[in-house]
Amino acid sequence: MKFRWGYVGNGNIAKSTAKSILKGEHLITAVYGRNAEKAEKFARSHGANVYSDYDSMLNAEDVDGIYIATPHTSHLDYALRAMNAGKPVLCEKPVAVCEKDVQTLIDSSNENGIYFCEAMWTWFSDVALNVKKWVENGEIGKVKSVVINYAFPGLMMSKNSRVLTPSTAGGALLDIGIYPITYCYNLFGYPDRIECDGVIKNGIDIKETVVLYYGDVKCTLNMALDTLKENCLIEGNKGRITMGFFHMASKATLKNENGKQVFSGKTDYLTEFTRAAEEIRAGKTESDYIPHKSTLECMRIMDECRRQMNLIYPFE
């Protein structure tokens, strides 16, 4: 039986996920959006019911789970209301804008006994999971350093884009920096020390370098909205792992004393939604792929980065 999703939001990310998941065992049965015309069009294109009232959608019997694809400043409200209504939630990253709000979401999940998970496709990906296995199995020996670059020309977007707007917590850190930060966290856990140096312009961070220290392992993460660049290098004393588009990798390359090995796989929305749906049907309240603690501590890292940059959003 196909898993039935209620979509909150109908922008670009909603359209992208919908295109992918409908190739598998998923249906979109309900749609809610603040723009009635856009919501109606999105719902019609997927054979779903459109709702002008969010609570009515949450009470619909043909919805197995809620997917939230709105700007991250609205995630807290939508996710809490869904969980209070007894609906499991898959929420786009970041699930909130600060650690306190993430804790509120986790508390609601625990109190309601309802599944809540961050929609971070990278960590549902077999490529990323295999990279973690390589590191943990000592395929590159003792890890010495990690360097991740992730940038896209966001400054060329429309001036009213959520990515460039302080009131929607725009900027490089929360939108794209979360990927390299989460990648390192899932390899090594919470760092011993965090350093962040960034550039703030018009109320948002347009670039920063974040350095995470794990003992004598140094992870240097560069993120920016002014160029196009993405790669990852994990170096050990016996080898290295490299990736191009690490956050959506289709392959990872391992080179060590035994030669070269390439792992190929998919990083896609279908895998993410399918694995989340399986966990929901199994009665889980948190994901084995992205535990609540991981989501909370990655936000804690980003909070510390903002503190060091003195980046404060207008609603705080």
Side-chain angles (χ1 to χ4, degrees), residues 72-241:
H72 31 267
T73 44
S74 62
H75 289 174
L76 179 67
D77 177 58
Y78 286 131
L80 286 177
R81 289 164 67 184
M83 287 188 282
N84 287 335
K87 295 293 187 184
V89 174
L90 180 63
C91 182
E92 268 305 326
K93 57 80 193 167
V95 296
V97 298
C98 65
E99 183 185 356
K100 178 175 69 71
D101 289 350
V102 175
Q103 186 64 62
T104 299
L105 290 165
I106 293 171
D107 290 344
S108 178
S109 171
N110 293 334
E111 290 164 7
N112 287 295
I114 292 292
Y115 184 87
F116 174 75
C117 178
E118 186 169 45
M120 173 71 79
W121 69 349
T122 307
W123 282 100
F124 286 93
S125 160
D126 288 331
V127 177
L129 292 171
N130 196 74
V131 167
K132 184 174 184 178
K133 188 187 302 181
W134 279 342
V135 170
E136 291 179 341
N137 290 350
E139 294 289 349
I140 60 172
K142 186 180 185 302
V143 177
K144 297 191 299 182
S145 66
V146 177
V147 177
I148 303 180
N149 298 301
Y150 189 17
F152 83 104
L155 295 178
M156 296 179 66
M157 299 174 74
S158 167
K159 294 299 182 185
N160 60 1
S161 164
R162 63 162 184 82
V163 177
L164 303 179
T165 305
S167 62
T168 52
L173 182 67
L174 293 190
D175 201 67
I176 61 173
I178 188 173
Y179 283 107
I181 287 170
T182 300
Y183 216 99
C184 284
Y185 177 90
N186 277 277
L187 290 175
F188 311 116
Y190 196 82
D192 302 321
R193 185 157 55 96
I194 301 164
E195 292 178 356
C196 178
D197 183 30
V199 176
I200 297 174
K201 186 176 180 180
N202 298 325
I204 63 165
D205 56 307
I206 60 172
K207 66 168 67 175
E208 54 261 310
T209 294
V210 177
V211 183
L212 306 179
Y213 294 91
Y214 299 89
D216 55 0
V217 178
K218 181 180 179 182
C219 300
T220 304
L221 317 176
N222 303 302
M223 57 280 292
L225 298 177
D226 60 358
T227 186
L228 181 62
K229 187 175 185 179
E230 184 176 348
N231 52 54
C232 174
L233 168 63
I234 305 170
E235 194 146 23
N237 65 346
K238 294 183 179 180
R240 57 170 50 190
I241 299 168

Side-chain angles (χ1 to χ4, degrees), residues 3-21 26-33 42 54 57-58 63-71 74-75 78-79 82-83 87-93 95 115-121 124 162 179 268-270 272-273 276-277 280:
F3 195 91
R4 302 167 298 180
W5 292 97
Y7 263 51
V8 184
N10 41 270
N12 291 333
I13 187 67
K15 293 173 184 174
S16 295
T17 57
K19 184 178 179 180
S20 179
I21 70 170
H26 302 270
L27 292 172
I28 299 172
T29 53
V31 173
Y32 170 79
F42 184 79
Y54 182 48
M57 186 180 86
L58 293 176
V63 174
D64 299 316
I66 298 295
Y67 169 60
I68 300 172
T70 57
S74 62
H75 289 174
Y78 286 131
M83 287 188 282
K87 295 293 187 184
V89 174
L90 180 63
C91 182
E92 268 305 326
K93 57 80 193 167
V95 296
Y115 184 87
F116 174 75
C117 178
E118 186 169 45
M120 173 71 79
W121 69 349
F124 286 93
R162 63 162 184 82
Y179 283 107
D268 61 356
Y269 297 119
L270 179 56
E272 173 188 15
F273 275 68
I280 291 169

